Amino acid sequence: MSTPVFEIRFPAYTSGGPPRCTPKSTLTGVVYVHILQPIRASCLSLSFMGSERASMAPESVNSSWTQTAKPRTIKKVYFNQSTVLWGDGKLRKTDTLSTGIHMFHFSCEFPRVNYPQSRTTPEYEIKYVLKAKLLNSRDAHTSTILSMSQPIMYVPETVAPLLPVSAEHGDTLARFAFCDNVGDGQGGYHMRATGLQQAFRPGDAVDLQLRITGQRTLRKVQFAVIEQTDCFYPQIPEPREEQLDIGRRLWSSQRVLSDTADLPFERDSCVVPDICSDHTTSKRSRSGSTYHAHLHTRLPNDVLVLHETGYLRYTYFVQLYLFSGSGAWGSHSQTTHTRIPIPVASRILPEDSQPGSARTPYAEPH
């Protein structure tokens, strides 16, 4: 007997890859069935589910823990809806699909909700899946005759907000500003970063002006862009010692988005005190030498615009390394570092109460 063809197809999408969907987008397709002999079945169902699954102790994060059993995971379902494209959804009656080609059309509209973006890593998976099943009746020994799953790429909406430009003493006020004391004691610096963009979208260029003031001679500056993922769970069943953390954090991992690169800088001939409400008492911001640098990098296109999911939290930052010496070249060197946050733009969309049209496809059997 020849194997039947059972597929989920999307004629409107010609790219060849999985369809890409956004809030309020409409997904249309067909369940394509080609059989060479009749099949007795009860119904053809189509389900659509969005979910997130995360490991509670992934080996990639906690290599010291020996995994003796199947990895424990936590799962959150964003939505799970289904509909019947053909037959008896209660699985009480059976009917015959005749020999030949059958196409069952469906259409579903995503709600105006920013769900997390599709992504698969060794630590977690966020996925949206359409699944078609040709089912037997309840009294049959085998419940599923044919089954097919099709992943859907989901990309939430994003917007980069910009504040009105204002001026003070002839200077344009920065839309982004961050400062920090870097290092301890006299070997530390006061670092201030400013930029003209308040938030950044995936693929955007990041341009920041850095001003570094301190008493030690700055020899070299390097930077790298980092994505940090933290997994949280409100209640840990039978927690292990390595799983306990402030805020019930299960684990934390980092992904380097850009190679570590040198950052050119210039030394100012005079020291201009940094006016910083958080560090007004810091001597390092009022004495020593001042250095200026222009940091330029670009965010990857797969940066996640939703900062939190069911169990995960994402943060993006520039890891800045400062290499200094106390005096002449060849003197004792010191390395300090700090993190400059990169605000990634997100867009808050009002949730639809029950988007039935988005999750209940309609069928037009041919």
Side-chain angles (χ1 to χ4, degrees):
M1 184 179 70
S2 300
T3 303
V5 178
F6 190 70
E7 299 175 346
I8 301 176
R9 297 181 176 182
F10 305 94
Y13 299 89
T14 59
S15 61
R20 295 174 62 89
C21 297
T22 59
K24 294 298 287 183
S25 63
T26 300
L27 178 65
T28 59
V30 297
V31 177
Y32 178 90
V33 185
H34 185 193
I35 53 179
L36 299 182
Q37 64 181 27
I39 293 180
R40 295 284 293 176
S42 185
C43 81
L44 174 62
S45 68
L46 182 69
S47 64
F48 190 21
M49 184 173 71
S51 64
E52 161 189 345
R53 185 185 294 273
S55 174
M56 296 185 69
E59 295 183 6
S60 58
V61 175
N62 190 4
S63 58
S64 61
W65 179 45
T66 302
Q67 189 86 42
T68 58
K70 184 178 179 179
R72 303 175 68 184
T73 61
I74 47 180
K75 182 178 180 179
K76 180 178 178 62
V77 176
Y78 305 141
F79 59 84
N80 186 13
Q81 298 292 329
S82 62
T83 191
V84 175
L85 302 182
W86 171 85
D88 178 18
K90 296 182 179 180
L91 303 179
R92 295 174 180 173
K93 302 177 182 179
T94 59
D95 204 344
T96 301
L97 272 178
S98 59
T99 302
I101 296 175
H102 303 265
M103 290 188 293
F104 301 89
H105 291 245
F106 64 86
S107 175
C108 51
E109 182 182 276
F110 276 84
R112 195 167 184 266
V113 176
N114 253 357
Y115 291 116
Q117 183 171 332
S118 303
R119 177 180 279 191
T120 299
T121 73
E123 299 82 27
Y124 64 89
E125 182 179 33
I126 298 173
K127 63 180 181 179
Y128 302 85
V129 178
L130 276 171
K131 179 176 288 188
K133 288 184 177 182
L134 187 62
L135 300 173
N136 268 320
S137 60
R138 290 184 177 181
D139 56 359
H141 295 292
T142 304
S143 60
T144 303
I145 303 173
L146 298 171
S147 179
M148 175 64 187
S149 297
Q150 175 64 53
I152 306 298
M153 294 298 298
Y154 184 81
V155 181
E157 289 186 3
T158 180
V159 62
L162 296 178
L163 296 179
V165 178
S166 57
E168 183 176 320
H169 306 301
D171 295 327
T172 301
L173 292 179
R175 297 187 176 103
F176 170 83
F178 173 81
C179 65
D180 191 18
N181 279 338
V182 187
D184 299 324
Q186 294 184 353
Y189 297 89
H190 183 264
M191 187 278 305
R192 179 176 175 83
T194 58
L196 297 180
Q197 195 163 333
Q198 186 185 29
F200 303 91
R201 294 170 295 185
D204 275 357
V206 178
D207 288 281
L208 299 175
Q209 301 298 326
L210 305 186
R211 184 159 139 180
I212 305 168
T213 303
Q215 297 182 2
R216 293 178 66 92
T217 302
L218 192 62
R219 303 299 190 190
K220 184 171 68 173
V221 180
Q222 291 184 326
F223 74 95
V225 181
I226 307 293
E227 174 192 81
Q228 178 165 316
T229 304
D230 296 289
C231 181
F232 293 87
Y233 192 56
Q235 293 182 351
I236 306 175
E238 302 177 2
R240 301 177 185 271
E241 181 179 356
E242 66 269 13
Q243 294 174 338
L244 297 177
D245 197 355
I246 297 177
R248 297 188 181 276
R249 180 169 56 185
L250 299 180
W251 50 263
S252 179
S253 67
Q254 291 186 355
R255 183 170 69 110
V256 179
L257 303 183
S258 68
D259 295 333
T260 302
D262 291 334
L263 180 63
F265 62 91
E266 295 182 354
R267 182 173 181 174
D268 203 335
S269 57
C270 60
V271 177
V272 181
D274 285 336
I275 307 301
C276 171
S277 59
D278 294 329
H279 307 105
T280 51
T281 60
S282 174
K283 292 183 179 180
R284 68 188 79 185
S285 65
R286 294 180 283 107
S287 62
S289 300
T290 299
Y291 304 87
H292 298 274
H294 174 208
L295 190 153
H296 172 80
T297 186
R298 186 174 295 276
L299 291 178
N301 291 322
D302 64 347
V303 164
L304 300 176
V305 300
L306 290 189
H307 305 156
E308 295 185 0
T309 68
Y311 301 111
L312 306 172
R313 181 182 302 167
Y314 303 99
T315 53
Y316 296 89
F317 56 88
V318 172
Q319 185 87 9
L320 192 70
Y321 302 94
L322 306 180
F323 302 84
S324 62
S326 58
W329 289 96
S331 62
H332 176 68
S333 61
Q334 180 177 330
T335 303
T336 57
H337 63 86
T338 187
R339 294 179 174 182
I340 304 174
I342 301 178
V344 176
S346 63
R347 186 172 183 179
I348 305 301
L349 303 177
E351 292 194 20
D352 295 352
S353 57
Q354 186 62 31
S357 61
R359 303 167 188 173
T360 307
Y362 66 83
E364 295 179 357
H366 286 193

